[in-house]
Amino acid sequence: MYSAQIEAAKEKFGKLLEEQLNRVEEMKAQGDFINYKALDKIIIGVCGGDGIGPAITSQAQRVLEYLLEDEVKQGKVEFRVIDGLTIERRAAENAAIPVEVLKELKECHVILKGPTTTPRKGDPWPNVESANVAMRKELDLFANVRPVRIPEQGIDWTFYRENTEGAYAVGSKGVHVTEDLGVDFTVVTSQGTERIIRAAFEYAKANGKTRVTAVTKANIIKTTDGKFLDMFKEIAREYPDITADDWYIDIMTAKLVDEKRRKDFQVLVLPNLYGDILTDEAAEFQGGVGTAGSANIGKRYAMFEAIHGSAPRMVEEGRDIYADPCSVIRAGAMLLSHIGYTTEADKLYKALDICTVTEKKLVMTGRDTGATGEEFANYIMDTTRSL
Ligand code: IPM
Ligand code: MG
């Protein structure tokens, strides 16, 4: 029974395996991390995306250009605006990232990206893959670094979410074997696992962190999560000064709510889907996903983004000038620190704290009852001047 369907499914599975084995070879051939200091010029791509994206990223760009004014004048840094990563263009080309846009992205070193719309069932758009996910894969941005800090509660977490494998690697390539049977695949590789776990430990070591925690469901998902956990234990042995422990994802979601225990976590490393879920939970304690920035780091490229949506309704109602650029400006601060401008990055982090927590002279309401994104960016720049 069903032998034709099983053969068809096997053929699709075979293709997936070939693709993934090619990816393994590419990872094996990869060199070390790019050294920004050795470059004559760092090219920063600014990719607005959809909805409120262009309005808020252009404000973040103004702030970064202001902080890097001398570098831009000396030709050490160049900003390039990359248009066209819009749902309309992606739908017209039926591509997750339009060809021309991808080419322009690949000419940059680092990218500041606004939100992009991911089509959902029932939307007028064809079912193109998420632009975020595609960019992470195309540019091999394997480490999704998401910090969550709530100093008054003693919370200082840094999540290292694996960003190219797990349930996301072939998430849009599952197989409907028959009308009744659907199968998705989750992928793990030695190379992909080693690099994210190593990145988490290296970050811990460089930043005086004393604990790295792995989060899996290796008791049930034995092959892929099992490999992730084995690799974690193996690499942990190279860092004897750092406490390494591991938790299952279910109890970890509970522990993040446990006010007595949660302060103790420092660096957490986890497969893609668990990282996706746990970082939304974590960001919620800090004030919601809209307050978080996210760094997507690979060896050759890095991309920094806000993790909120594109809010198309704000644009339809002409309110995009009132959209809050804070999260993408925070992503900009992560970008500055990543390319080595740590003094400028620290200034920007401090200004964000002053402007959104301690002083808060402007209120953003998303409409004309509050400040515009431009006014907020001006407020941030004025504040950095006094630091
Ligand atoms: C995130 C988002 C994305 C993801 C979506 C928009 C594809 O939820 O960055 O966490 O699932 O990774
Ligand atoms: Mg998410």
Side-chain angles (χ1 to χ4, degrees):
M1 258 215 319
Y2 298 119
S3 57
Q5 285 95 329
I6 293 174
E7 279 315 308
K10 277 190 194 164
E11 196 178 314
K12 282 190 189 157
F13 185 51
K15 285 219 180 76
L16 289 186
L17 296 183
E18 267 172 39
E19 278 170 28
Q20 293 304 311
L21 287 167
N22 285 339
R23 202 167 59 79
V24 168
E25 292 310 315
E26 279 165 23
M27 283 190 280
K28 280 188 194 162
Q30 223 168 37
D32 209 350
F33 282 95
I34 188 167
N35 176 5
Y36 298 104
K37 291 213 172 67
L39 298 174
D40 293 333
K41 186 203 273 181
I42 300 177
I43 302 174
I44 302 177
V46 180
C47 190
D50 287 308
I52 57 170
I56 57 174
T57 43
S58 61
Q59 294 310 326
Q61 180 181 350
R62 283 181 61 225
V63 173
L64 295 188
E65 277 178 336
Y66 170 72
L67 290 169
L68 296 177
E69 201 177 340
D70 292 339
E71 283 70 17
V72 173
K73 273 196 199 126
Q74 293 160 16
K76 285 195 207 151
V77 171
E78 179 189 332
F79 284 85
R80 280 193 197 164
V81 174
I82 301 174
D83 288 323
L85 191 65
T86 59
I87 185 67
E88 291 80 8
R89 272 277 293 281
R90 288 153 56 214
E93 288 193 25
N94 199 10
I97 303 178
V99 180
E100 193 52 36
V101 173
L102 187 59
K103 197 175 140 251
E104 286 178 53
L105 289 170
K106 287 190 170 169
E107 283 162 10
C108 301
H109 297 103
V110 286
I111 295 148
L112 187 66
K113 187 180 87 40
T116 50
T117 300
T118 303
R120 280 188 283 202
K121 259 199 162 30
D123 278 355
W125 316 111
N127 195 19
V128 287
E129 189 187 21
S130 142
N132 276 17
V133 173
M135 198 182 294
R136 292 168 186 167
K137 284 190 210 161
E138 285 287 349
L139 306 181
D140 203 18
L141 307 171
F142 64 87
N144 190 333
V145 186
R146 298 185 161 181
V148 169
R149 289 197 182 108
I150 314 168
E152 61 278 17
Q153 293 179 26
I155 290 177
D156 185 354
W157 299 322
T158 307
F159 292 89
Y160 269 74
R161 165 188 174 187
E162 202 293 317
N163 216 15
T164 50
E165 310 201 324
Y168 281 64
V170 288
S172 55
K173 294 181 180 168
V175 181
H176 290 288
V177 182
T178 67
E179 219 175 271
D180 298 318
L181 177 64
V183 181
D184 266 315
F185 304 101
T186 184
V187 174
V188 74
T189 66
S190 308
Q191 290 72 18
T193 309
E194 181 178 350
R195 63 188 185 175
I196 184 70
I197 293 171
R198 219 170 259 296
F201 276 99
E202 283 298 312
Y203 168 82
K205 192 172 142 188
N207 291 278
K209 308 283 181 194
T210 54
R211 183 175 176 191
V212 178
T213 303
V215 184
T216 69
K217 188 73 187 179
N219 50 340
I220 304 296
I221 315 292
K222 291 187 191 290
T223 305
T224 47
D225 282 8
K227 189 175 182 70
F228 195 96
L229 188 53
D230 286 346
M231 184 69 84
F232 176 77
K233 288 182 177 160
E234 197 182 312
I235 293 176
R237 283 201 283 273
E238 296 175 33
Y239 299 84
D241 299 335
I242 295 174
T243 305
D245 60 343
D246 82 276
W247 294 69
Y248 295 135
I249 181 65
D250 48 351
I251 189 65
M252 180 52 91
T253 57
K255 283 298 139 200
L256 285 198
V257 195
D258 178 342
E259 287 177 10
K260 279 195 221 82
R261 303 292 296 281
R262 65 181 179 187
K263 296 193 282 289
D264 301 337
F265 297 113
Q266 299 179 18
V267 180
L268 299 100
V269 62
L270 60 182
N272 211 337
L273 183 58
Y274 309 142
D276 178 47
I277 297 167
L278 206 65
T279 54
D280 268 17
E281 186 194 4
E284 192 65 23
F285 300 128
Q286 180 183 267
V289 290
T291 59
S294 155
N296 298 266
I297 296 172
K299 293 200 168 163
R300 165 64 180 81
Y301 297 101
M303 181 266 281
F304 301 80
E305 61 184 342
I307 57 177
H308 56 70
S310 57
R313 193 177 315 153
M314 286 189 80
V315 184
E316 278 158 32
E317 294 172 2
R319 292 190 283 119
D320 49 342
I321 57 165
Y322 298 104
D324 189 347
C326 166
S327 167
V328 69
I329 293 176
R330 193 172 293 281
M334 296 176 93
L335 183 154
L336 288 176
S337 136
H338 181 72
I339 59 176
Y341 290 103
T342 42
T343 315
E344 290 77 2
D346 288 346
K347 260 193 197 173
L348 188 48
Y349 281 125
K350 278 200 195 112
L352 277 162
D353 261 355
I354 294 170
C355 299
T356 63
V357 184
T358 52
E359 187 182 73
K360 223 176 167 175
K361 268 204 291 205
L362 290 183
V363 185
M364 307 294 299
T365 61
R367 40 190 83 240
D368 61 9
T369 51
T372 62
E374 183 178 351
E375 285 161 349
F376 182 80
N378 292 344
Y379 178 30
I380 290 272
M381 290 188 276
D382 285 344
T383 307
T384 61
R385 234 166 263 148
S386 60
L387 291 171

